[in-house]
Amino acid sequence: MYRSHTCGELRVSHVGETVTLAGWVAKSRVMGSSMAFVDIRDRYGITQLAFNEAYSKELLEKASTLGREFVIQATGKVAERSAKNGQLETGDIEIVVESLTILNESKTPPFTIEAETDGGDDIRMQYRYLDLRRDVVRKNLELRHNLAQSIRAYLSNQQFLEVETPVLIKSTPEGARDFVVPSRMNKGQWYALPQSPQTFKQLLMVSGFDRYFQIVKCFRDEDLRADRQPEFTQIDCEMSFVEREDIIQTFEGMMKQLFADVKGITFGDFPRMSYADAMKYYGSDKPDIRFGMPFVELKAPGNSLDVVSGKDFVVFDNAEAVVGICATGAAVYTRKQIDALIEYVKRPQIGATGIIYCRVEADGSLKSSVDKFYDADALLKWKEAMNAQPGDLMLIMAGGLDKTRKQLNELRLFVGSDLGLRNPHDFKPLWVVDFPLLEWDEDHNRFHAMHHPFTSPLPEDRELMTYDPGKVRANAYDLVINGVEIGGGSIRIFDKQLQSEMFDLLGFTKEDAQYQFGFLMNAFEYGAPPHGGLALGFDRLCSMLGCSDSIRDFIAFPKNNSGRDVMIDAPSTLSAAQLKELEL
Amino acid sequence: MYRSHTCGELRVSHVGETVTLAGWVAKSRVMGSSMAFVDIRDRYGITQLAFNEAYSKELLEKASTLGREFVIQATGKVAERSAKNGQLETGDIEIVVESLTILNESKTPPFTIEAETDGGDDIRMQYRYLDLRRDVVRKNLELRHNLAQSIRAYLSNQQFLEVETPVLIKSTPEGARDFVVPSRMNKGQWYALPQSPQTFKQLLMVSGFDRYFQIVKCFRDEDLRADRQPEFTQIDCEMSFVEREDIIQTFEGMMKQLFADVKGITFGDFPRMSYADAMKYYGSDKPDIRFGMPFVELKAPGNSLDVVSGKDFVVFDNAEAVVGICATGAAVYTRKQIDALIEYVKRPQIGATGIIYCRVEADGSLKSSVDKFYDADALLKWKEAMNAQPGDLMLIMAGGLDKTRKQLNELRLFVGSDLGLRNPHDFKPLWVVDFPLLEWDEDHNRFHAMHHPFTSPLPEDRELMTYDPGKVRANAYDLVINGVEIGGGSIRIFDKQLQSEMFDLLGFTKEDAQYQFGFLMNAFEYGAPPHGGLALGFDRLCSMLGCSDSIRDFIAFPKNNSGRDVMIDAPSTLSAAQLKELEL
């Protein structure tokens, strides 16, 4: 071993001991010709090395040649510092160096290895090995390590078995695009990389494994949006002989354990919300409930309440729905601030035509952008419907119901951020349940499975499958934290009659179903138990617990938006010999 | 939850409780028209369900309709059995069933779901989900789970961080053949699947991660031999600021922990053997030291001892080496048994011309197959050299040194098995060290790296690099258990001067080296610490601890010798649309 201690562990209690440290030169300061200080850094911390002329002129000279990021080894006595550094855990001591070895030199790094670096994104990705040397990035991956260990400990304690499923599997045309791998030994045939181990985990349930989990790489060849990776990691789980409640309890328990282990945060029971309510009150199937401002329908299909129509304001009169939020304390927003909100929702990504607003002044009086149409009495009805208080700002949008909800969701999130209500250190988990089982696809005039074709209907909606399939709710659940979908799952179909009805609804021919899912359907003939499970996005969970928006910061070697690893320069061309062997 | 207890947990202490179990029908016995017993099975065990006419004729009738592998749920009272079954952990009780639900039916499985099944290999692989339902197979995967958790716990405690390295990487033509993946977004370019995360783990050391591990899938597109899988799992580790001794201590500690946790076996320090000694005494770089019978050189290049030449026996006179083993107690071998040994070594896979043997009879007299050439005095010299005792059998082979060692190794293992000295429940770990750094490749007239091009020489052999590179020993180590290489590793080169000398010796041009390993060599310019590591084959380790020769039995969904998954029928053809999108 090149060291007796790490650079993070020496304290005043070690004073007088002779120690050896090894690490990188983080900083060095030469004080005139008589003294020098060098900060030596490793994963565990930073320790100050002291050199002085009185002790050894030769060592002092050697110390002054050290460049940033040189790898060194130093032996010396631990001494108490006269000027202590409260910022460093080792700040009470320093090492009076008695011998110094340069283990390796370093070129000057292309950016500073500090929390606040001067390196841009591209250069940091190209030199990812140096970027990873930065404390902030390494801490992200330490968090990831801790989370993984905590997850495994929890699930192992709950009798889950970690089973590795294969990476070289079969391509199925349904769903997202597969990455594929030519087989040299089976010419003209290809493997696919798994988008998830879905079918294998269901097979394991048929095998009686009872409880399965895996922290596993999955692959999707999609056009990459920001923060999507072609390879990503999933916490994949499945249980037998369970109902929805069992799964929710098990994984709510896991999340509580994780937050307690890693963040020291404890939670009560997670709230639950139906998909219908999530859409009605938040315009989203993943509501951010760190703050209130639920939607209030001033007018909507099927509602008896309508406090906006009949005042000659055609925008509202013609709208299918008029929905608002009450922004607490935002009456102070200036005209300019409100204009910014309007600009925001008019952006093509959101596509709204505008916002109607109404301030509740401190004295309770109301001032709207449509005073021309609505007098004080009319506005008072808005205020009552929205339970707006003095100092609040009502923000209202109108149009088709679905579209208005989507747009108002964006506005609500924007205002929430603006009012500082979306603190990344505040965590608000939520189960969203009772999703529709099927989604109507206008383009192809057929149903799609909202989750996947093995999701079962709610038992009480089973009958509806025959005569009103669009109304059937799925026995499914999503875990949402702070407006981000962390994962989801469902109770699976384990009955072959129901599975066959499902395939019929999805427009599969018997042959299609057999070709794509034959091995699973065959397996189901041999005693499939009731089962269900869920999958959580591990990269996203890490970034969530790391209070960051970027999953890339929580992946050791991420790819860029073109799916390239710029550090190793992959993908790349193959040699002619390789291509020839594959007969491509 | 469909059950109150598992099928493995009820005991006499539960008598009188009303419980609900769910699981598979393992067996049912209808006793005339008045009683029936059904064994219900899940992952945790088997419990007997009792039905009798007196209690409910209807239930009894229903029970008699149950087929093998039906999935059922039964509620009833726990009762003490009159006839207990000592074979079952639940054998003291049974459930007097009060209600029975058939959750799912099952076709008759194509083979029996029992430890001793009537299913052949092919059918079991095709219906792997049923094969996995067998206790013996599931227990293998439970062992694998336990090993994985134990490994992670040990390494986490030792400050190792589990870091996921990418699966979509860059192809490097050196080494074994890569599996490759066409990139749709970067036309004409390909990813490769990693044969190991070697370069990434070294980059993590450059990043200051200090200690890394991962239990990770690796891929090799090789022509498959028996028990080789195209995807396999590696326990991959790397440490910084360490010397060989640190790594050996760390991983010897891990192995001791594993054996203690999973097998309840404790070990003293593992013995170590140099590569030179392993070859000299066992003719193998992975000696099985569960039994003795080390080689004795009766004549060999450089030895002063020669107890065979000059007796007109041309086979020995002309041989470069004459080497023997002394098979303890094997003097009783009949002529037929000895002929079988000779047949064995004459097989083309071994290719020997024969065996000379000499019995030491109970009275100490010697009887050899070459009495014609060697009188009692001459044979006595053999006996002394080999320290043979009355009752032993000396088995001697002759020829070129290297070839003879290889052949005698095969004979030694065969005889060891024959004498029952290779008990799979007996574990004898061993470190083999001081491998040659380079291997001369006759065909290409150049050196190959015996491990890989980043392996460093032993510090004391550094100088030899310049003037006798073939003699340089590597700072490498293999962990061998019972004659099987479980893993290996090395202290890496971290000095760019040495690395460049190494590439020169291996015949790399500067351009080749830069193209293939450029990103690693560049990284080494920025303060690479001294580091080293190792990788263990996890599949092999599992089968070793499971006392089995077959790694396939320890993989949930293995592929066959053509790289096919016969259950899901992969690889398979792609759709025309998929191929078109890839522009192949």
Side-chain angles (χ1 to χ4, degrees):
Chain A
M1 197 68 101
Y2 283 75
R3 63 191 176 206
S4 63
H5 296 78
T6 70
C7 298
E9 70 181 302
L10 295 171
R11 300 287 183 275
V12 166
S13 60
H14 297 92
V15 165
E17 284 181 36
T18 297
V19 300
T20 300
L21 301 184
W24 287 263
V25 173
K27 210 187 283 178
S28 63
R29 284 151 294 153
V30 179
M31 320 293 270
S33 64
S34 63
M35 288 176 82
F37 296 101
V38 172
D39 282 353
I40 182 171
R41 185 196 62 227
D42 66 13
R43 181 180 123 200
Y44 312 94
I46 287 179
T47 301
Q48 177 166 294
L49 305 177
F51 299 84
N52 73 66
E53 196 180 15
Y55 182 80
S56 163
K57 202 173 157 132
E58 195 190 341
L59 274 176
L60 179 64
E61 271 165 19
K62 193 166 181 184
S64 67
T65 68
L66 296 175
R68 272 203 289 145
E69 303 305 323
F70 276 36
V71 186
I72 59 171
Q73 182 187 37
T75 299
K77 271 214 173 57
V78 182
E80 187 161 359
R81 285 207 217 178
S82 47
K84 298 197 167 55
N85 179 348
Q87 306 294 306
L88 280 184
E89 290 194 82
T90 63
D92 289 353
I93 57 94
E94 63 189 7
I95 313 298
V96 181
V97 176
E98 293 163 13
S99 83
L100 174 68
T101 308
I102 297 175
L103 297 170
N104 220 339
E105 302 194 344
S106 173
K107 294 209 285 197
T108 305
F111 50 84
T112 55
I113 312 291
E114 282 166 17
E116 296 293 324
T117 181
D118 54 358
D121 241 30
D122 290 350
I123 191 111
R124 289 195 295 110
M125 281 302 140
Q126 192 186 336
Y127 293 89
R128 181 63 167 175
Y129 47 87
L130 294 178
D131 197 30
L132 288 170
R133 215 181 267 173
R134 294 166 58 225
D135 229 45
V136 285
V137 185
R138 198 199 58 243
K139 278 193 169 35
N140 290 343
L141 291 165
E142 288 175 348
L143 173 75
R144 188 176 177 118
H145 166 86
N146 291 334
L147 277 173
Q149 308 315 315
S150 175
I151 289 164
R152 290 205 183 86
Y154 176 86
L155 292 174
S156 296
N157 277 336
Q158 300 272 331
Q159 308 271 29
F160 283 77
L161 292 177
E162 191 173 10
V163 179
E164 293 172 59
T165 53
V167 175
L168 297 171
I169 64 164
K170 184 180 179 169
S171 185
T172 52
E174 266 300 291
R177 209 181 283 107
D178 286 326
F179 281 106
V180 292
V181 180
S183 166
R184 184 182 52 86
M185 289 175 70
N186 303 271
K187 285 278 150 57
Q189 301 196 328
W190 300 69
Y191 301 101
L193 305 182
Q195 297 183 30
S196 95
Q198 182 66 33
T199 44
F200 289 98
K201 69 176 174 177
Q202 295 195 243
L203 289 174
L204 286 172
M205 295 304 105
V206 175
S207 299
F209 269 60
D210 208 70
R211 296 180 166 206
Y212 143 89
F213 84 100
Q214 194 180 186
I215 300 183
V216 61
K217 277 281 175 76
C218 300
F219 305 86
R220 243 170 247 180
D221 183 13
E222 289 181 281
D223 296 323
L224 300 172
R225 300 199 302 263
D227 235 24
R228 277 272 188 116
Q229 291 282 318
E231 54 178 297
F232 54 97
T233 304
Q234 205 164 283
I235 307 162
D236 194 50
C237 308
E238 197 80 5
M239 305 170 78
S240 288
F241 300 115
V242 290
E243 290 157 305
R244 182 166 83 178
E245 191 58 30
D246 303 309
I247 296 202
I248 288 185
Q249 289 299 339
T250 302
F251 291 96
E252 189 167 313
M254 183 178 89
M255 294 306 297
K256 286 178 182 171
Q257 186 69 54
L258 287 191
F259 273 97
D261 284 356
V262 172
K263 307 289 290 186
I265 297 174
T266 54
F267 285 104
D269 288 346
F270 294 1
R272 300 184 195 179
M273 194 182 291
S274 71
Y275 172 86
D277 280 354
M279 297 310 289
K280 184 180 171 82
Y281 295 114
Y282 299 94
S284 166
D285 60 0
K286 39 179 193 283
D288 184 348
I289 58 166
R290 277 175 297 185
F291 64 106
M293 292 194 211
F295 294 4
V296 177
E297 293 174 354
L298 302 181
K299 167 186 174 183
N303 286 10
S304 55
L305 183 83
D306 178 348
V307 295
V308 294
S309 298
K311 302 288 182 180
D312 294 334
F313 183 48
V314 291
V315 175
F316 283 0
D317 283 349
N318 294 343
E320 183 189 18
V322 177
V323 191
I325 55 173
C326 176
T328 312
V332 295
Y333 268 26
T334 61
R335 177 69 216 213
K336 202 172 153 199
Q337 281 175 294
I338 292 174
D339 283 347
L341 298 184
I342 294 171
E343 281 316 302
Y344 180 74
V345 299
K346 280 182 158 176
R347 295 182 318 149
Q349 300 93 310
I350 302 182
T353 49
I355 302 171
I356 304 301
Y357 62 88
C358 178
R359 288 196 181 85
V360 190
E361 307 289 3
D363 62 3
S365 67
L366 299 164
K367 181 84 196 82
S368 85
S369 57
V370 284
D371 282 355
K372 188 146 62 147
F373 302 100
Y374 296 89
D375 59 18
D377 277 354
L379 293 178
L380 200 59
K381 285 192 183 145
W382 297 11
K383 176 171 175 285
E384 278 163 13
M386 299 181 73
N387 194 24
Q389 304 300 319
D392 291 354
L393 175 67
M394 294 181 261
L395 296 164
I396 299 162
M397 298 177 82
L401 179 64
D402 290 350
K403 204 167 160 190
T404 302
R405 283 175 169 176
K406 273 196 192 117
Q407 293 166 347
L408 192 60
N409 166 50
E410 300 289 346
L411 179 64
R412 174 179 172 271
L413 294 176
F414 188 81
V415 173
S417 296
D418 201 47
L419 293 173
L421 302 173
R422 301 178 72 195
N423 176 359
H425 297 274
D426 180 23
F427 298 97
K428 285 283 172 345
L430 169 74
W431 290 103
V432 178
V433 297
D434 298 347
F435 287 82
L437 183 66
L438 302 164
E439 231 173 359
W440 185 251
D441 177 348
E442 295 283 353
D443 296 342
H444 297 88
N445 212 34
R446 50 168 272 203
F447 282 114
H448 271 302
M450 190 132 169
H451 279 75
H452 57 63
F454 309 110
T455 301
S456 68
L458 278 185
E460 58 266 42
D461 289 2
R462 173 71 177 86
E463 305 268 288
L464 284 172
M465 292 277 288
T466 344
Y467 59 88
D468 196 355
K471 283 253 165 60
V472 176
R473 290 167 301 167
N475 206 349
Y477 30 82
D478 271 5
L479 177 63
V480 173
I481 305 180
N482 294 0
V484 174
E485 185 198 326
I486 292 296
S490 63
I491 297 296
R492 322 299 182 188
I493 298 173
F494 71 103
D495 170 76
K496 65 181 182 222
Q497 170 58 28
L498 181 54
Q499 186 67 65
S500 140
E501 282 177 47
M502 184 71 175
F503 281 136
D504 285 349
L505 281 172
L506 296 174
F508 279 81
T509 64
K510 289 264 176 298
E511 291 70 32
D512 282 353
Q514 187 60 39
Y515 179 76
Q516 284 188 46
F517 303 110
F519 58 94
L520 188 59
M521 288 165 67
N522 292 346
F524 278 13
E525 306 260 15
Y526 293 96
H531 63 288
L534 99 176
L536 304 170
F538 188 47
D539 308 301
R540 176 62 65 204
L541 183 67
C542 291
S543 76
M544 171 68 63
L545 271 83
C547 305
S548 163
D549 277 339
S550 162
I551 64 166
R552 208 175 285 182
D553 292 344
F554 293 79
I555 295 172
F557 300 101
K559 295 191 171 53
N560 73 10
N561 282 348
S562 319
R564 292 200 72 81
D565 182 327
V566 295
M567 180 188 71
I568 63 171
D569 193 27
S572 61
T573 53
L574 293 187
S575 69
Q578 280 176 296
L579 290 171
K580 193 172 166 213
E581 260 199 323
L582 294 169
E583 293 184 12
L584 288 170
Chain B
M1 198 68 101
Y2 282 75
R3 63 190 176 206
S4 63
H5 295 78
T6 69
C7 299
E9 70 181 300
L10 295 171
R11 300 286 182 276
V12 166
S13 61
H14 296 92
V15 165
E17 284 182 35
T18 297
V19 300
T20 301
L21 302 185
W24 287 262
V25 173
K27 209 187 284 177
S28 62
R29 283 151 294 153
V30 179
M31 320 293 272
S33 64
S34 61
M35 288 176 83
F37 295 101
V38 172
D39 282 353
I40 182 171
R41 185 196 62 227
D42 67 13
R43 180 181 123 200
Y44 312 94
I46 288 180
T47 301
Q48 177 166 294
L49 305 177
F51 298 84
N52 72 66
E53 195 180 14
Y55 182 80
S56 162
K57 201 173 156 127
E58 194 190 342
L59 274 175
L60 179 64
E61 272 165 19
K62 194 165 180 184
S64 67
T65 68
L66 297 175
R68 270 204 290 147
E69 303 306 322
F70 275 37
V71 187
I72 60 171
Q73 183 187 36
T75 298
K77 270 214 175 56
V78 183
E80 188 163 359
R81 285 206 215 179
S82 47
K84 298 199 167 52
N85 178 347
Q87 305 294 307
L88 280 184
E89 290 195 83
T90 63
D92 288 354
I93 57 94
E94 63 189 7
I95 313 298
V96 181
V97 177
E98 294 162 13
S99 83
L100 174 67
T101 308
I102 296 175
L103 297 170
N104 220 339
E105 301 192 346
S106 173
K107 295 209 283 197
T108 305
F111 49 85
T112 54
I113 312 291
E114 282 167 18
E116 296 293 324
T117 180
D118 54 358
D121 241 29
D122 290 350
I123 192 112
R124 290 195 295 111
M125 281 302 139
Q126 192 187 335
Y127 293 89
R128 181 63 168 174
Y129 45 87
L130 295 179
D131 197 30
L132 287 170
R133 213 180 268 173
R134 293 166 59 226
D135 229 43
V136 284
V137 185
R138 199 199 57 244
K139 278 193 168 39
N140 290 343
L141 291 164
E142 288 176 347
L143 172 74
R144 189 176 176 117
H145 166 87
N146 291 334
L147 277 173
Q149 308 316 315
S150 175
I151 289 164
R152 290 205 182 85
Y154 177 87
L155 292 173
S156 296
N157 277 337
Q158 300 271 332
Q159 308 272 27
F160 282 77
L161 292 175
E162 190 174 11
V163 179
E164 293 171 60
T165 53
V167 175
L168 297 171
I169 66 164
K170 185 179 178 169
S171 185
T172 51
E174 266 299 292
R177 210 182 281 108
D178 286 326
F179 280 106
V180 293
V181 180
S183 166
R184 185 182 52 84
M185 290 175 69
N186 302 272
K187 286 279 150 58
Q189 301 195 329
W190 300 69
Y191 301 100
L193 305 183
Q195 297 183 30
S196 96
Q198 182 66 33
T199 46
F200 289 99
K201 69 175 174 176
Q202 293 195 243
L203 288 173
L204 286 171
M205 295 304 105
V206 175
S207 299
F209 270 60
D210 207 69
R211 295 179 167 207
Y212 143 90
F213 83 99
Q214 195 180 185
I215 300 183
V216 61
K217 277 280 174 78
C218 299
F219 306 86
R220 243 170 248 181
D221 184 13
E222 289 180 281
D223 296 324
L224 300 172
R225 300 200 302 262
D227 234 26
R228 276 273 187 115
Q229 290 282 318
E231 53 178 297
F232 54 97
T233 304
Q234 205 163 283
I235 307 164
D236 194 49
C237 307
E238 197 80 5
M239 305 170 79
S240 288
F241 300 115
V242 290
E243 291 157 304
R244 182 167 83 179
E245 190 58 30
D246 304 308
I247 298 201
I248 287 184
Q249 289 299 339
T250 302
F251 292 95
E252 189 168 314
M254 183 178 90
M255 294 307 296
K256 286 177 183 172
Q257 186 69 55
L258 288 191
F259 272 96
D261 284 356
V262 172
K263 306 289 290 186
I265 298 174
T266 55
F267 285 104
D269 288 347
F270 294 2
R272 299 184 196 179
M273 195 183 291
S274 70
Y275 172 86
D277 279 354
M279 297 310 290
K280 184 179 172 80
Y281 296 113
Y282 300 93
S284 166
D285 59 0
K286 37 180 193 284
D288 184 347
I289 58 165
R290 278 175 296 185
F291 64 107
M293 291 193 212
F295 293 4
V296 176
E297 293 174 353
L298 302 181
K299 167 186 175 184
N303 286 10
S304 57
L305 182 83
D306 179 348
V307 295
V308 294
S309 297
K311 304 285 182 181
D312 295 334
F313 183 48
V314 290
V315 175
F316 283 1
D317 284 349
N318 293 343
E320 184 189 18
V322 177
V323 191
I325 54 174
C326 176
T328 311
V332 295
Y333 268 27
T334 60
R335 178 67 217 214
K336 201 173 154 198
Q337 280 175 296
I338 292 174
D339 282 348
L341 298 183
I342 294 171
E343 280 317 300
Y344 180 74
V345 300
K346 279 182 160 177
R347 295 182 319 148
Q349 300 95 309
I350 302 182
T353 48
I355 302 172
I356 304 302
Y357 61 89
C358 178
R359 287 195 182 88
V360 190
E361 307 289 4
D363 63 1
S365 66
L366 298 165
K367 181 83 196 84
S368 84
S369 57
V370 283
D371 282 356
K372 202 160 35 162
F373 303 99
Y374 297 90
D375 59 18
D377 278 354
L379 293 177
L380 200 61
K381 285 190 181 145
W382 297 11
K383 176 171 175 281
E384 278 163 13
M386 299 181 74
N387 193 25
Q389 304 300 319
D392 291 354
L393 175 69
M394 294 181 260
L395 296 164
I396 300 162
M397 298 177 83
L401 179 63
D402 292 349
K403 206 168 160 187
T404 303
R405 284 175 169 176
K406 274 197 191 117
Q407 293 167 345
L408 191 60
N409 165 50
E410 299 288 346
L411 178 65
R412 175 179 171 269
L413 294 175
F414 187 82
V415 172
S417 296
D418 201 46
L419 293 173
L421 302 173
R422 303 178 71 195
N423 176 0
H425 297 275
D426 180 23
F427 298 96
K428 284 284 171 345
L430 168 74
W431 290 104
V432 178
V433 297
D434 298 348
F435 287 82
L437 183 66
L438 302 164
E439 231 173 358
W440 185 252
D441 176 349
E442 295 283 352
D443 295 343
H444 298 88
N445 213 31
R446 49 169 272 205
F447 282 114
H448 272 301
M450 189 134 171
H451 279 75
H452 56 63
F454 310 111
T455 301
S456 68
L458 277 185
E460 59 265 41
D461 289 2
R462 173 72 176 86
E463 305 268 288
L464 284 172
M465 293 275 289
T466 343
Y467 58 90
D468 197 355
K471 283 254 166 60
V472 177
R473 289 166 302 169
N475 206 348
Y477 29 82
D478 272 5
L479 177 63
V480 173
I481 306 180
N482 295 0
V484 175
E485 185 198 325
I486 292 296
S490 64
I491 298 296
R492 322 300 181 188
I493 297 172
F494 70 104
D495 170 74
K496 65 181 182 223
Q497 171 57 28
L498 180 54
Q499 186 68 65
S500 139
E501 282 177 48
M502 184 71 176
F503 281 135
D504 286 349
L505 281 173
L506 297 175
F508 278 82
T509 64
K510 290 261 177 298
E511 293 68 33
D512 282 353
Q514 186 60 38
Y515 179 75
Q516 284 189 44
F517 303 110
F519 57 96
L520 187 60
M521 288 165 68
N522 292 345
F524 278 13
E525 305 262 15
Y526 292 97
H531 62 288
L534 97 177
L536 305 170
F538 187 46
D539 307 301
R540 177 61 65 204
L541 183 66
C542 292
S543 75
M544 171 69 61
L545 271 84
C547 305
S548 163
D549 276 339
S550 162
I551 64 167
R552 208 176 283 183
D553 291 344
F554 293 79
I555 296 172
F557 300 101
K559 295 191 170 53
N560 72 10
N561 282 348
S562 320
R564 292 200 72 81
D565 182 327
V566 295
M567 179 188 71
I568 63 171
D569 192 26
S572 62
T573 54
L574 293 187
S575 69
Q578 279 176 295
L579 289 172
K580 192 172 166 212
E581 260 199 322
L582 294 169
E583 295 185 9
L584 287 171

